[in-house]
């Protein structure tokens, strides 16, 4: 298996360094920190939450460099980045572009490999503070010694590479916290690192109690599953596959699976599995849902009991009559065995794992 990494800069912690970029292909040598049969221990003492604020690709640039990041699915770094080997499976990862929050998820796995990295530096002073200029010549300037030049000095080294996979629990939170707010929510607000430790409890309070409150319970659920060693992937709704949507409209008509007939324009095609992770359309793998219900289903705030085929609404929505009245309501469409299989996976992720987590918390309270 190979991955093509785009160029990107390295991080430094105050020491002299050189700007770096990836070239050629990176060969994955092993898949690191995968859950074992007995489960994996989550980072932090006693399962304490560890969270990271990381900069998305568009902002990780110097001299035209950048990793192959897709914020919704994976994030890449190498051993020269401070905290590189500290990030672990089960950690929370919050991505931003230095101006605003993009989203948050849980690291399901980390791929570890080896890659060639080309380091760039100033040919005069040897420092890393070089960057190309779009309109001026010579193209490069060293921001340390102020010398200008056409090409930087280069040398090649072999590094350990890391790539997280976090698509399962991804929650889009774009714009819900500013860059200034996020900096203040870090353990070290003045940090300039790409991987910064985040004060999770404060961050969570900001998101769940802000102007647009968004529950982050799916984070707890996926961490529980990772700790138990399961390899299930949560539902990731994907909108915009015309052929898939047309097929669902042909099968079910203009009917929301939860609320019944409705305008075709208001219905979205929801995959009942991680489409982005495998790129396949499975038989019985989708339903039509109203846009708001689609979002709540994706977050696990609404689920379907695969045995009774009835809607189950999270207690977090009890204060909203429009949603609370859906509790126990039978599906508005007839589903197949395949639908029940995929809905069962979603149920196990968002209900069974949640119940286990709450039971564990209750035992911890009673034993304290």
């Amino acid at each position: 298996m190979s991955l093509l990494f785009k160029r990107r800069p390295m991080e430094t912690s105050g020491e002299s360094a050189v700007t770096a970029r990836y070239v050629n292909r990176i060969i994955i040598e092993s898949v690191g920190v995968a859950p074992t049969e007995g489960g994996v221990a989550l980072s932090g003492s006693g399962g304490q939450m560890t969270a990271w604020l990381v900069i998305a690709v568009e902002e990780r640039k110097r001299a035209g460099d950048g990793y192959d990041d897709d914020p919704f699915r994976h994030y890449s770094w190498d051993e020269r980045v401070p905290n590189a080997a500290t990030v672990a499976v089960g950690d929370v990862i919050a991505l931003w572009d230095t101006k605003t929050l993009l989203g948050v998820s849980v690291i399901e796995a980390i791929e570890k490999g080896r890659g060639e990295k080309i380091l760039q530096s100033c040919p005069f002073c040897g420092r890393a503070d070089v960057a190309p200029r779009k309109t001026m010549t010579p193209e490069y300037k060293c921001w340390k010694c102020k010398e200008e030049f056409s090409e930087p000095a280069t040398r090649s080294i072999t590094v350990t590479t890391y790539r997280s996979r976090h698509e399962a629990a991804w929650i889009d939170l774009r714009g819900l916290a500013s860059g200034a707010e996020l900096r203040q929510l870090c353990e070290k607000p003045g940090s300039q690192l790409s991987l910064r430790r985040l004060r999770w409890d404060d961050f969570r309070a900001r998101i769940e109690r802000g102007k647009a409150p968004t529950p982050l319970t799916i984070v707890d659920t996926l961490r529980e599953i990772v700790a138990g060693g399961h390899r299930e992937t949560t539902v990731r709704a994907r909108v915009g596959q015309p052929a898939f949507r047309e097929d669902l409209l042909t099968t079910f008509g203009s009917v929301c699976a939860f609320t019944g007939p409705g305008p075709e324009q208001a219905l979205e095609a929801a995959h009942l599995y991680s489409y982005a992770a495998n790129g396949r359309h499975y038989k019985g793998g989708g339903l039509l849902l109203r846009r708001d219900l689609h979002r709540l289903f994706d977050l696990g705030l609404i689920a379907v009991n695969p045995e009774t085929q009835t809607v189950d609404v999270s207690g977090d929505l009890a204060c909203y009559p429009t949603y609370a009245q859906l509790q126990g309501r039978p599906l508005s469409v007839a589903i197949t065995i395949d639908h029940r299989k995929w809905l069962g996976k979603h149920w196990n992720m968002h209900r069974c794992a949640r119940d286990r987590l709450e039971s564990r918390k209750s035992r911890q309270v009673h034993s304290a």
Side-chain angles (χ1 to χ4, degrees), residues 223-245:
R223 289 186 82 248
E224 174 75 5
I225 289 175
V226 170
H230 298 284
R231 300 302 294 162
E232 301 285 355
T233 350
T234 189
V235 170
R236 292 305 308 153
R238 286 288 182 252
V239 182
Q241 293 89 20
F244 181 62
R245 184 171 182 272

Side-chain angles (χ1 to χ4, degrees), residues 151-173:
E151 294 291 339
T154 62
R155 66 186 179 91
S156 177
I157 63 171
T158 300
V159 296
T160 298
T161 62
Y162 303 89
R163 192 187 198 209
S164 72
R165 190 172 74 245
H166 56 258
E167 191 242 354
W170 177 261
I171 305 175
D172 192 330
L173 302 174

Side-chain angles (χ1 to χ4, degrees), residues 39-229:
V40 298
L42 299 183
S43 58
S45 59
Q48 182 180 355
M49 189 76 78
T50 299
W52 302 92
L53 179 67
V54 301
I55 300 176
V57 63
E58 57 266 28
E59 292 299 330
R60 293 199 293 166
K61 296 179 179 178
R62 176 62 69 87
D65 299 331
Y67 279 138
D68 65 331
D69 301 333
D70 177 349
F72 303 100
R73 302 170 65 182
H74 52 77
Y75 185 82
S76 304
W77 67 99
D78 67 64
E79 65 180 279
R80 296 176 69 87
V81 177
N83 296 317
T86 308
V87 180
V89 168
D91 286 357
V92 175
I93 183 172
L95 280 92
W96 67 321
D97 60 7
T98 74
K99 297 178 181 178
T100 187
L101 177 65
L102 300 179
V104 67
S105 191
V106 176
I107 297 177
E108 308 156 51
I110 296 176
E111 297 170 338
K112 185 178 178 181
R114 299 289 289 174
E116 182 184 10
K117 191 171 188 177
I118 292 181
L119 308 179
Q120 297 181 332
S121 63
C122 172
F124 295 94
C125 70
R127 298 298 293 270
D129 299 320
V130 298
R133 300 179 293 184
K134 295 182 179 179
T135 60
M136 301 180 68
T137 56
E139 182 180 1
Y140 288 87
K141 179 177 181 178
C142 176
W143 300 108
K144 184 66 177 180
C145 70
K146 308 303 181 184
E147 290 286 348
E148 299 177 340
F149 44 93
S150 298
E151 294 291 339
T154 62
R155 66 186 179 91
S156 177
I157 63 171
T158 300
V159 296
T160 298
T161 62
Y162 303 89
R163 192 187 198 209
S164 72
R165 190 172 74 245
H166 56 258
E167 191 242 354
W170 177 261
I171 305 175
D172 192 330
L173 302 174
R174 186 179 294 272
L176 293 191
S178 68
E181 290 176 304
L182 292 171
R183 290 183 181 89
Q184 292 304 312
L185 291 171
C186 291
E187 290 186 1
K188 297 180 179 180
S191 172
Q192 297 297 313
L193 302 180
S194 289
L195 299 173
R196 316 180 191 188
R197 286 185 180 273
L198 194 63
R199 301 198 314 274
W200 170 249
D201 290 341
D202 293 335
F203 172 84
R204 182 170 193 159
R206 169 66 183 80
I207 300 303
E208 294 189 330
R209 304 171 192 170
K211 293 182 179 179
T214 302
L216 301 181
T217 50
I218 190 174
V219 170
D220 301 321
T221 300
L222 189 59
R223 289 186 82 248
E224 174 75 5
I225 289 175
V226 170

Side-chain angles (χ1 to χ4, degrees), residues 3-22:
L3 298 172
L4 179 61
F5 282 79
K6 298 178 182 177
R7 300 184 302 163
R8 81 148 201 190
M10 58 158 282
E11 293 285 341
T12 67
S13 56
E15 298 180 0
S16 174
V18 288
T19 303
R21 62 184 175 89
Y22 275 113

Side-chain angles (χ1 to χ4, degrees), residues 360-368:
R360 178 180 298 177
K361 289 180 178 179
S362 177
R363 291 196 300 270
Q364 289 175 344
V365 171
H366 290 302
S367 62

Side-chain angles (χ1 to χ4, degrees), residues 245 247-256 261-262 264 267 288 333:
R245 184 171 182 272
D247 183 61
L248 292 177
L249 285 169
T250 300
T251 301
F252 299 114
S254 185
V255 179
C256 170
E264 180 179 323
L267 299 178
L288 290 169
V333 296

